[in-house]
């Protein structure tokens, strides 16, 4: 059996293809939101869908995120499978009431009688030189809300496959699209199917330490692993793919093997997804750990203006610096000792 | 009890008193002649109109300069208000110095009209700071990007001024798209319930990025949105500077004299793409902006003022010179590289930084010092 030939596809195109294929496959699937119709979305992710499938399948709404989301709840109760778009991370906040109080809780409140198969697509994260409110890493809010699945692809084929799975899922899925990877390319044959929800993926095998990353941080982790190889470190890079459900087994297996772990996330570190990963690793792998689990994250500040963002985002150097602090020689981490002593 | 309103219509306390005119108020024809019938609003005097003319000419030049600088990579993004100058300038000239303006990202021209230095006004869009100017100094809130969220702030600020008895007014700018957000409706309701001296100024430029007005509302006019909240509402030809000034003056006066909020819908048009990053040809015909160019606010006011002998060739030349001067200052300021300090990241997150922020600042400082050593 021969499948289609792999061709070079961007992540945005893969998401577009997943939406189109889902619309074709299931007449209940509808795509709606702000500027998703004629314009094809501000990132062109829905380009051509309205023209191809008609504007009853892909359509613009009034400009109101709470409205879009609440409307989707009603439509899902009425038998449709809405795939809605929030234009940017921070512009989903008006919808938070609907998401936290209804989207996340409907199944539980109704003892399973009402399902909400809704996908909320949210372009997120920084690194694209955008002004405030266009660069937030908001995954933590959703991951902290029981009832929501939180998915974030880092590769082109995952973007396709995870979105198809999200649309088929009977539960609501927050589908977080790393904006800075929209134009990343890979040779893939669509429709591609990758591992299902709840499975992390080893993107680079290694023996000395595990870098756990997700979404926009995965390519950064891979780059850091390359750079570290030159310094004699053999790093394993684990891509979470789905923050919820979380792959405890996969992450723990890697860390038990390497004995060291650094978690990388663009979001502010405090009370973020990175903290959750570090806690879970520590709970499960304590006796395998040769060093404390470290986090390399954004600072605990509002996302800075674009001219300063490079100082905020976790980059290769910060990851290498963390590796240096993984206590190969059994010395305590002086970085914290000094500061705690001074305080 | 019946009192007579500024526009001459009787108020009997019923909803009719709140309703906007059937057609947008206009003083000028598209060609800049006096429109008939004459609106019931008092016409602004020649001095104010001459100021408005000058500010529009300067504002348009500034807008073109900002667009050019964006093409040269000097701004991260620029949302042009080309064609909306009557609204940009009118919103500012309608206010006293002590009054507050709540602008959106599209209000760069309003900011420079308010006297804000061009580099400070463009800081957000250039990308060196979230807000380059001191809001208290100019009584201009930070430009707001999350749509319509600023309207509630304007209601609250207006109420604060009312509580203090200052007689100050707050004017909130919002777009046609923004009127669909829940916050807009909550702002109207709060302002009305608390009789806050707020003016809601909707620049209906027909589009919210690609989405045309008919996808935002089924109402006959966005000005009808005020009526349900008990707010006196009006619609105005937003490309007629005389009408914009007349109606906004009445709205501000209404609010200032304790009658509660006022909603003005200005019918205007976004001649350019949403921002430099947008491509309007994907969703509208080229003929559409062409139509609107015939209703150019500057040309209309110029024709009107010249016909009445209130504007001479020298005045026109002086306005053009002032515009070139501001453009030159803008170029000079924006062509110089700003050097926002990386350690500033940790300033102003809290009044007093948390211990964690102190720690993170120390990390970054070490990192920067190491970079220094390397280079
Ligand atoms: C809450 C929120 N949702 C979405 C956006 C993204 N966005 C920025 S401008 C815009 C269109 C706004 O249209 P309108 O209110 O008519 O103002 P205009 O840009 O035409 O001046 C959109 C959707 C945003 N800034 N805030
Ligand atoms: Mg608009």
């Amino acid at each position: 059996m021969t499948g289609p030939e792999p061709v070079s596809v961007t992540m945005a195109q893969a998401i577009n293809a997943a939406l189109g294929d889902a619309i074709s496959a299931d007449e209940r699937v509808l795509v709606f939101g702000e500027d998703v119709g004629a314009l094809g979305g501000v990132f062109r992710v829905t380009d051509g869908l309205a023209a191809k499938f008609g504007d009853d399948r892909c359509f613009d709404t009034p400009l109101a995120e709470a409205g879009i989301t609440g409307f989707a709840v009603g439509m899902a109760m009425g038998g449709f499978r809405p795939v809605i778009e929030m234009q940017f991370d921070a512009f989903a906040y008006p919808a938070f009431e609907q998401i936290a109080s209804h989207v996340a809780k409907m199944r539980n409140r109704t003892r399973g009688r009402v399902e909400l198969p809704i996908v909320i697509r949210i372009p997120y994260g920084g690194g694209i030189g955008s002004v405030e409110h266009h660069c937030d890493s908001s995954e933590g809010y959703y991951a902290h809300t029981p009832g929501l699945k939180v998915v974030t692809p880092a590769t082109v084929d995952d973007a396709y496959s995870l979105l198809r799975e999200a649309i088929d899922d009977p539960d609501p899925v927050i589908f977080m699209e790393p904006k800075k990877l929209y134009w990343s390319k890979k040779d893939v044959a669509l429709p591609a199917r990758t591992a299902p929800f709840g499975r992390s993926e080893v993107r680079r095998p290694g023996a000395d330490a595990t870098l756990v990353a997700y979404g926009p941080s995965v390519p950064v982790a891979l780059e850091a692993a390359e750079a570290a190889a030159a310094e004699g470190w053999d790093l394993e890079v684990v891509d979470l793919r789905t923050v919820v459900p979380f792959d405890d087994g996969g992450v723990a297996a890697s860390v038990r093997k390497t004995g060291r772990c650094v978690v990388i996330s663009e979001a502010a570190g405090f009370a973020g997804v990175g903290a959750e990963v570090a806690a879970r690793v520590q709970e499960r792998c304590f006796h395998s750990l040769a060093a404390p689990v470290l986090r390399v994250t954004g600072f605990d500040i509002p996302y800075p203006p674009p001219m300063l963002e490079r100082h905020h985002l976790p980059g290769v150097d910060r990851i290498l610096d963390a590796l240096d602090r993984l206590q190969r020689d059994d010395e305590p981490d002086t970085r914290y000792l000094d500061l705690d002593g001074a305080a | 009890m019946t009192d007579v309103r500024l526009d001459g219509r009787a108020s009997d306390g019923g909803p009719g008193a709140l309703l906007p005119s059937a057609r947008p108020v206009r003083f000028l024809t598209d060609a800049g002649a006096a429109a008939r019938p004459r609106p019931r609003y008092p016409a602004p005097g020649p001095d104010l109109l001459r100021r408005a003319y000058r500010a529009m000419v300067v504002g348009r030049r500034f807008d073109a300069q900002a667009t050019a600088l964006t093409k040269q990579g000097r701004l991260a993004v620029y949302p042009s208000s080309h064609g909306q100058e009557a609204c940009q300038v009118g919103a500012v000239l309608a206010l006293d110095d002590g009054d507050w303006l709540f602008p959106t990202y599209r209000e760069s021209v309003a900011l420079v009209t308010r006297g804000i230095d061009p580099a400070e006004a463009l800081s957000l869009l250039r990308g060196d700071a979230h807000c380059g100017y001191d809001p208290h100094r100019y009584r201009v809130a930070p430009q707001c990007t999350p749509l319509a969220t600023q309207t509630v702030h304007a209601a609250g600020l207006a109420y604060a001024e009312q509580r203090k008895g200052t007689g100050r007014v707050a004017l909130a700018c919002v777009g046609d798209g923004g009127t669909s957000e829940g916050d807009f409706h909550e702002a109207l309701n709060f302002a009305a319930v608390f009789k806050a001296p707020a003016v809601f100024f909707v620049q209906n430029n027909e589009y919210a990025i690609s989405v045309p007005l008919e996808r935002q509302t089924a109402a006959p006019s966005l000005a009808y949105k005020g009526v349900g909240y008990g707010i006196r509402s009006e619609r105005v030809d937003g490309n007629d500077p005389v009408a914009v000034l007349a109606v906004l003056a009445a709205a501000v006066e209404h609010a200032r004299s304790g009658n509660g909020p006022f909603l003005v819908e200005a019918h205007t048009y976004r001649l350019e793409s949403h921002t430099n990053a947008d491509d309007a040809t994907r969703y509208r015909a080229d003929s559409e902006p062409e139509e609107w160019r015939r209703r150019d606010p500057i040309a209309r006011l110029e024709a009107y003022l010249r016909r009445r002998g209130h504007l001479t060739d020298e005045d026109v030349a002086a306005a053009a010179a002032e515009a070139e001067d501001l453009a030159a200052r803008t170029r000079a300021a924006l062509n110089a590289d700003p050097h926002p300090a990386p350690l500033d990241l940790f300033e102003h997150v809290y009044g007093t930084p948390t211990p964690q922020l102190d720690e993170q600042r120390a990390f970054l400082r070490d990192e920067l010092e190491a970079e220094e050593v390397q280079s």
Side-chain angles (χ1 to χ4, degrees):
Chain A
M1 199 188 97
T2 55
E5 285 294 305
V7 290
S8 177
V9 176
T10 66
M11 183 180 282
Q13 288 167 335
I15 296 170
N16 179 277
L19 292 169
D21 291 351
I23 289 174
S24 299
D26 185 341
E27 63 185 15
R28 298 169 301 173
V29 173
L30 304 176
V31 172
F32 56 93
E34 296 159 8
D35 301 290
V36 299
L39 183 64
V42 294
F43 294 104
R44 305 292 183 263
V45 167
T46 57
D47 190 19
L49 295 179
K52 185 162 176 200
F53 300 102
D55 51 16
D56 56 336
R57 302 300 300 280
C58 175
F59 55 90
D60 290 329
T61 63
L63 209 172
E65 295 76 11
I68 292 167
T69 310
F71 205 63
V73 169
M75 293 198 71
M77 290 174 72
F80 285 91
R81 302 182 86 89
V83 182
I84 60 177
E85 176 175 303
M86 301 285 118
Q87 200 159 79
F88 283 85
D89 30 62
F91 304 143
Y93 300 149
F96 200 72
E97 160 73 18
Q98 290 291 339
I99 294 174
S101 296
H102 298 293
V103 174
K105 292 179 179 159
M106 189 66 85
R107 175 186 293 284
N108 185 261
R109 289 168 61 220
T110 62
R111 315 288 310 147
R113 294 187 195 97
V114 180
E115 287 185 343
L116 295 180
I118 297 171
V119 177
I120 305 179
R121 295 183 34 246
I122 307 178
Y124 84 112
I128 61 162
S130 255
V131 299
E132 59 172 355
H133 311 297
H134 294 75
C135 310
D136 283 13
S137 290
S138 47
E139 67 274 19
Y141 305 131
Y142 306 110
H144 195 64
T145 303
L148 302 174
K149 294 185 178 173
V150 181
V151 173
T152 179
T155 66
V156 173
D157 41 349
D158 256 359
Y160 180 92
S161 185
L162 291 172
L163 182 54
R164 290 298 305 271
E165 187 174 348
I167 295 171
D168 289 340
D169 200 290
D171 279 314
V173 177
I174 310 291
F175 192 82
M176 308 214 51
E177 301 170 5
K179 299 191 241 338
K180 78 168 189 197
L181 299 185
Y182 269 145
W183 303 279
S184 63
K185 282 189 179 156
K186 190 172 171 183
D187 286 341
V188 293
L190 297 179
R193 283 302 182 153
T194 58
F197 283 11
R199 289 250 307 271
S200 61
E201 199 69 66
V202 174
R203 298 290 178 205
R204 183 189 202 281
D208 295 341
T210 301
L211 301 182
V212 180
Y214 58 92
S217 297
V218 173
V220 183
L222 286 168
E223 210 187 313
E226 282 305 309
E231 297 182 11
W233 281 88
D234 179 22
L235 299 185
E236 180 143 306
V237 175
V238 174
D239 173 3
L240 288 180
R241 303 172 68 246
T242 67
V243 174
V244 182
F246 189 87
D247 184 9
D248 278 315
V251 172
S254 173
V255 176
R256 284 197 192 107
K257 183 179 77 174
T258 63
R260 291 182 172 85
C261 178
V262 178
V263 189
I264 301 147
S265 164
E266 261 188 35
F270 199 89
V273 168
E276 181 63 28
V277 178
R280 305 187 81 79
V281 166
Q282 177 275 131
E283 283 165 351
R284 284 165 178 76
C285 309
F286 185 76
H287 293 289
S288 312
L289 283 168
V293 181
L294 296 183
R295 282 170 293 159
V296 179
T297 68
F299 295 122
D300 295 325
I301 59 172
Y303 197 88
M307 284 184 181
L308 288 174
E309 73 180 339
R310 76 181 180 88
H311 297 288
H312 172 66
L313 293 171
V316 169
D317 288 345
R318 276 188 202 151
I319 297 170
L320 295 180
D321 177 58
L323 289 171
D324 284 342
R325 294 190 290 117
L326 281 180
Q327 301 181 28
R328 275 173 288 183
D329 50 9
D330 230 15
E331 289 294 315
D333 189 344
T334 52
R335 182 183 214 178
Y336 295 111
L337 280 187
D338 290 354
L339 288 158
D340 292 345
Chain B
M1 199 189 92
T2 303
D3 63 332
V4 177
R5 299 182 328 190
L6 284 164
D7 62 358
R9 273 183 281 174
S11 165
D12 56 5
L18 304 172
L19 281 171
S21 328
R23 287 164 184 282
V25 172
R26 66 190 298 198
F27 280 74
L28 303 183
T29 65
D30 288 354
R36 299 272 165 236
R38 276 189 76 70
R40 305 282 202 121
Y41 290 86
D47 285 347
L48 181 59
L49 293 179
R50 285 158 52 89
R51 273 180 68 204
Y53 170 78
R54 241 179 130 101
M56 289 198 298
V57 170
V58 172
R60 176 167 295 180
R61 182 68 189 86
F62 171 79
D63 189 81
Q65 184 61 68
T67 297
L69 285 163
T70 308
K71 290 200 180 103
Q72 295 155 24
R74 285 286 167 188
L75 296 179
V77 63
Y78 186 70
S80 168
S81 60
H82 183 199
Q84 299 178 221
E85 292 85 357
C87 297
Q88 294 285 310
V89 163
V92 172
L93 296 190
L95 298 178
D96 286 348
D97 275 355
D99 296 331
W100 275 80
L101 179 71
F102 283 75
T104 75
Y105 51 87
R106 198 170 298 288
E107 264 69 62
S108 299
V109 168
L111 300 189
V112 292
T113 305
R114 186 75 169 177
I116 297 175
D117 170 76
E120 289 186 4
L122 291 174
S123 240
L124 167 73
L125 303 168
R126 177 193 218 182
D128 58 307
H130 296 311
C131 177
Y133 53 89
D134 174 359
H136 281 292
R137 175 170 169 204
Y138 297 100
R139 270 91 42 216
V140 177
Q143 276 175 293
C144 187
T145 305
L147 296 166
T149 52
Q150 76 283 5
T151 59
V152 209
H153 308 162
L157 189 134
Y159 182 57
E161 297 297 343
Q162 186 214 80
R163 292 280 296 248
K164 294 185 290 181
T166 60
R168 291 175 172 177
V169 167
L171 184 147
C173 295
V174 64
D176 44 295
T179 67
S180 295
E181 292 278 8
D183 275 7
F184 176 70
H185 295 263
E186 297 181 24
L188 294 184
N189 196 38
F190 269 69
V193 165
F194 290 105
K195 264 198 154 190
V199 175
F200 300 100
F201 183 42
V202 182
Q203 287 173 71
N204 170 5
N205 62 8
E206 302 265 332
Y207 287 91
I209 309 186
S210 70
V211 181
L213 183 67
E214 59 265 25
R215 199 28 79 95
Q216 295 302 340
T217 185
S221 147
L222 294 173
Y224 282 84
K225 296 200 178 193
V227 179
Y229 296 100
I231 294 182
R232 169 85 177 94
S233 303
E234 188 54 283
R235 53 204 301 222
V236 61
D237 177 342
N239 285 18
D240 173 349
V242 184
V244 170
L245 286 167
V247 170
L248 282 179
V252 168
E253 178 53 32
H254 173 97
R256 206 187 299 289
S257 30
N259 300 311
F262 199 107
L263 169 65
V264 177
E265 177 195 17
H267 295 264
T268 183
Y269 190 78
R270 197 195 74 209
L271 286 175
E272 310 298 332
S273 288
H274 173 68
T275 68
N276 57 293
D278 178 40
D279 174 10
T281 62
R282 288 177 71 97
Y283 50 83
R284 72 184 186 192
D286 289 345
S287 54
E288 211 183 89
E290 281 321 307
E291 271 296 295
W292 278 88
R293 282 178 205 278
R294 294 193 299 110
R295 284 173 239 175
D296 181 70
I298 300 181
R300 282 166 84 180
L301 185 59
E302 181 176 337
Y304 178 77
L305 288 176
R306 277 186 186 271
R307 202 167 290 153
R308 308 207 143 203
H310 294 312
L311 196 74
T312 62
D313 288 346
E314 292 80 74
D315 295 329
V316 171
E322 193 187 323
E324 284 313 317
D325 180 60
L326 183 73
R329 280 197 288 129
T330 305
R331 275 195 305 275
L334 277 278
N335 280 327
D337 280 321
H339 295 286
L343 291 177
D344 258 14
L345 290 178
F346 306 96
E347 299 299 318
H348 314 299
V349 180
Y350 302 95
T352 309
T354 59
Q356 288 72 30
L357 282 180
D358 284 337
E359 189 177 275
Q360 291 170 25
R361 187 200 287 108
F363 293 169
L364 181 59
R365 196 188 46 230
D366 290 352
E367 210 176 88
L368 293 167
E369 278 167 8
E371 263 180 38
E372 280 281 272
V373 172
Q374 272 172 15
S375 60

